[in-house]
């Protein structure tokens, strides 16, 4: 495991942990969020059910004394064994995306607007 240090907008040092396993890697961070010790699973690459569940299991087994809840923010094209989906009405923030096709020969609207073709998670934002 490697610790990657990033600076947030307030100048505070934040530690993001990178774990490299056979065939995949993932990143996570533990911090207090709304007064709850939270483990944020930031990214899993490549993202699939097996890798995702193994990443959650690793965080739980190695960090369980340091957090109360594990969160993954993003769309999953599979049902994870290890986490439950929060109902939309309980989600703290809604993200809106826009897109414009510049070359209609390269991609269709059906492909572009299918959420399963997008890989968006906390690694794409400066939120935590």
């Amino acid at each position: 495991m490697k610790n990657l240090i990033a600076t947030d907008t307030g100048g505070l040092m934040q530690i993001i942990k990178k774990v490299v396993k056979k065939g995949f890697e993932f990143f996570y961070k533990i911090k207090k969020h709304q007064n709850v010790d939270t483990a944020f699973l930031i990214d899993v690459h490549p993202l699939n059910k097996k890798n995702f569940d193994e990443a959650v299991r690793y965080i739980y087994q190695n960090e369980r004394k340091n957090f109360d809840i594990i969160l993954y923010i993003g769309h999953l094209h599979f049902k994870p064994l290890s986490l439950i989906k929060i109902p939309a009405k309980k989600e703290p923030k809604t993200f809106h995306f826009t897109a414009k096709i510049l070359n209609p020969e390269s991609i269709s609207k059906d492909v572009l607007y299918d959420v399963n073709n997008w890989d968006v998670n906390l690694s794409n934002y400066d939120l935590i």
Side-chain angles (χ1 to χ4, degrees), residues 69-86:
I69 189 171
I70 299 176
L71 293 179
Y72 175 80
I73 298 172
H75 176 75
L76 296 173
H77 54 277
F78 53 84
K79 184 176 181 180
L81 176 66
S82 49
L83 299 177
I84 60 170
K85 182 168 176 54
I86 303 293

Side-chain angles (χ1 to χ4, degrees), residues 1 8 14 16 22 26 28 30 34 37 43 46 49 51 58 64 72 86 90-92 98 100-101 105 107 119-120 125:
M1 174 176 39
D8 70 5
Q14 301 285 326
I16 297 173
K22 184 176 181 181
F26 63 93
Y28 71 96
I30 297 175
Q34 297 181 351
D37 291 324
D43 197 9
K49 182 177 178 18
N51 294 349
Y58 176 95
R64 68 177 163 244
Y72 175 80
I86 303 293
K90 297 287 186 181
E91 292 177 4
T98 60
K100 179 176 176 119
I101 297 175
E105 295 174 8
I107 191 167
D119 182 12
V120 180
Y125 300 100

